[in-house]
Structures are given as structure tokens and as C-alpha cells.
Amino acid sequence: MQLFDVAIVGGGPAGSSCAAFCAMAGLQSLVLDREKFPREKVCGDCLNPSCWPVLERLKLAEQVRDLPHSKLCSVEFISINGRGVTVDLPSGADGEISVKRSLFDDLLLRGARELSVNVHEQTTVTGLSRNDHWNIETASGDFFQARILIGADGRNSTVAHLCNLLPRPARERVALQAHIPLPRDFGNRIVLQFLPEGYSGQASVNETQLNLCLVGTPPTISKLRRWAEHQFQLPADQGWRTITPLTRSPVPSAHENLFFVGDAARVVEPFTGEGIYYALQSGELAANAIAKILRGDDRNSVLREFGRAYAQMYRGRLWINRLARAAVLRPQLGSLFVHAARIRPEIMKFLTGKIVERL
């Protein structure tokens, strides 16, 4: 049985980027994912400008730009009473775009495979044990071994669960998402709309489709769905993808021979649209640390350096995450914020600028 340097559970942006950077460092890397790609994922589908430097280092930026997408020009915040404020987004080649996750994630995973990463799709991890290395059991009966294990398998991480590290979720909200026909004259924009029962996020993802997200509590999500059916003239049998929880406590990102990246480590508020950046960047940081450990650098020093870099990635930005979560949990509060921004537009411009600035 081959002993891999690194085994990564999860082939989304965090797992694929980590695998690719590990392969670039000369490591024998394995990716296991329970899905068959391409596959859709509940997400706002937005890539903020901070993603481009990581994609450039992966040599995938131009391929991402070649995917069907929308170049987003503005974001409109709408209060419960229908009044709104619009903020322009940065223009240029490195601006904000929206692209379907089925296309984006498949491109990243294919990029990793082209770097000789060993990829196993439709492979569900069912057991983990550790002696001198990690032993990985799967539902199909296949076994794998690796020196270092990466959990890149999302907010309900199987790796964290099997290692007894997964925090109790806060099941306060649920999200629904669908791609629907693009309304006429919608344009290349994002709409974040507060409603009495929660909020709706909308963004064009190409010339014909709109990403429609609804976020509410279990008692209100059915009302949000009926609102969407009426607002966008959707059939009653419209298919929706769903995900929960939208919040949980973070998992420490580094343990001995075990790392967590992306949503498996920290779940950020989807309202901000920063999740893909954190996934890509945390994957790269973990790969850099693993390469140093396996080439013989002092493990404790490497882990301290990784911890500092990981914390720096979020520093100065989590307050926006907390503010966004408060607004989403209390749509009336979010609406008051929109009204204040109509009087003082610089407030929303500042907050939007913090999120979409290129880091």
C-alpha cells in the first residue's frame, strides 16, 4: 500500500488548492471526496478580488476567467421596506466575479490532478486511526495511508467528527440555494435583500442564470421560499439545495500531523462572500507548513509560524463577519443599517471596500 505524504479529505477549493500547492512542493498527495465532480454546492458563487493572487500562484487565474461568469459591477443593499443603497465594486481584470461552483471547483480539482495529485471521487471516509501515520478507511472498502492528514471537508467535517473535534453546531439558520432564469434587466450585480423572515442574496452567474440564496430560521424558511416563488415566478416544485449550520465554533487549524482548512476550520458568515478566499488561502498556508515539516524543519517552529499566518488571514476582518451575522439574524437591524447608509453612503462603501479589497 502506497504511503502518501499528505491525504486531503475534501476536494473543494480548500482541499484542491492545498493538494496543488503540496504537489508543487514535490509531495505525494491524495484527495478523497464523497462527491462526483462537477457538482453544485450551496454558495453565493462570488469570487472576491483577494482570490486572484492565489489563483495566479496556482496558474489557474486565466482559466477561471475563461469560465462562463458575470463580472460584478455593484452590490445593492435593500431594506425590508424596499429602500436600498447601491455601492460600486472595483473594476478591472481583478475585480469581483460570480461563477458557478460546479465549474469553479471542477477546474481546481482538475488542476490538482494535472499536477499528479491522486484524486478519488465518490469516496466516503468512514474511519481514521493513527500510529506512525494515518490509516484511512472508506465506505468502498479501500484503505489509504498518509503521513499528514488534512480536513478540508466543510462545516460538517467528517475528519473533525471522527477525531472528536467537531463543535456542537448552532442550528439557528438554514440556507436554500438555486440557479434560476436570470430576470430581465437584472444586470451584473449582487443584491442583498433583508426580509421580515431573513434575507435573500442574488447574483447573476452568467448571461442566463441567477444564483438565488435564501437564509432564515427553520420556522421562517418556508415563508422565504414562498416569497421567492412569487418574486421570481418560480414553480412550486422548484428544486433547492440546502445547508446547515451556517455558524459553529472554529476548530483549531493545526494539530500534530493534522490540519484543518476552509470551512472545516472556521465557518465565516456567507453574507460577506469571503468564504472561497479563506478556503484557497488556508489551503496554501497549510501546504507551505506541511512541506517544511516533511523536509525536516522544526515542527514546533513551523506550527507557530502557520498559526500566526492563519490568524493574520482573518485579522481585522472578523468584526465584519460578526456585524454581518447580527444583521442577518435580525433583519430589522440590517434594514436600519441600510437606512443609515442612505444618509451616510460612506458607511456602506467602507464596509464593502473592506470585503472586496485585494489582499
Side-chain angles (χ1 to χ4, degrees), residues 78-95:
I78 302 176
S79 67
I80 289 174
N81 67 8
R83 294 180 179 176
V85 58
T86 299
V87 178
D88 291 335
L89 295 174
S91 59
D94 293 340

Side-chain angles (χ1 to χ4, degrees), residues 269-331:
E269 178 59 51
F271 188 86
T272 66
E274 294 185 287
I276 294 178
Y277 162 66
Y278 292 130
L280 294 171
Q281 184 64 72
S282 63
E284 181 179 17
L285 292 175
N288 291 341
I290 292 164
K292 291 177 183 178
I293 290 171
L294 292 181
R295 76 184 181 206
D297 289 14
D298 180 73
R299 180 185 301 272
N300 291 332
S301 296
V302 171
L303 291 179
R304 284 195 298 271
E305 180 184 350
F306 170 75
R308 286 192 294 268
Y310 185 86
Q312 181 61 38
M313 179 175 62
Y314 291 100
R315 187 166 292 124
R317 302 176 77 82
L318 287 179
W319 67 271
I320 299 178
N321 189 68
R322 289 189 287 268
L323 180 64
R325 180 168 174 263
V328 169
L329 281 171
R330 301 172 182 83

Side-chain angles (χ1 to χ4, degrees), residues 159-211:
V159 173
H161 174 71
L162 292 174
C163 294
N164 295 315
L165 294 170
L166 188 66
R168 183 184 298 274
R171 298 191 183 277
E172 59 195 13
R173 290 169 296 159
V174 60
L176 300 179
Q177 184 258 352
H179 291 111
I180 66 172
L182 183 67
R184 184 178 180 181
D185 299 327
F186 187 89
N188 294 335
R189 60 177 177 141
I190 304 170
V191 172
L192 298 174
Q193 184 168 0
F194 293 103
L195 299 158
E197 301 83 11
Y199 90 92
S200 169
Q202 306 146 34
S204 57
V205 293
N206 52 46
E207 294 181 353
T208 62
Q209 290 182 297
L210 180 80
N211 180 309

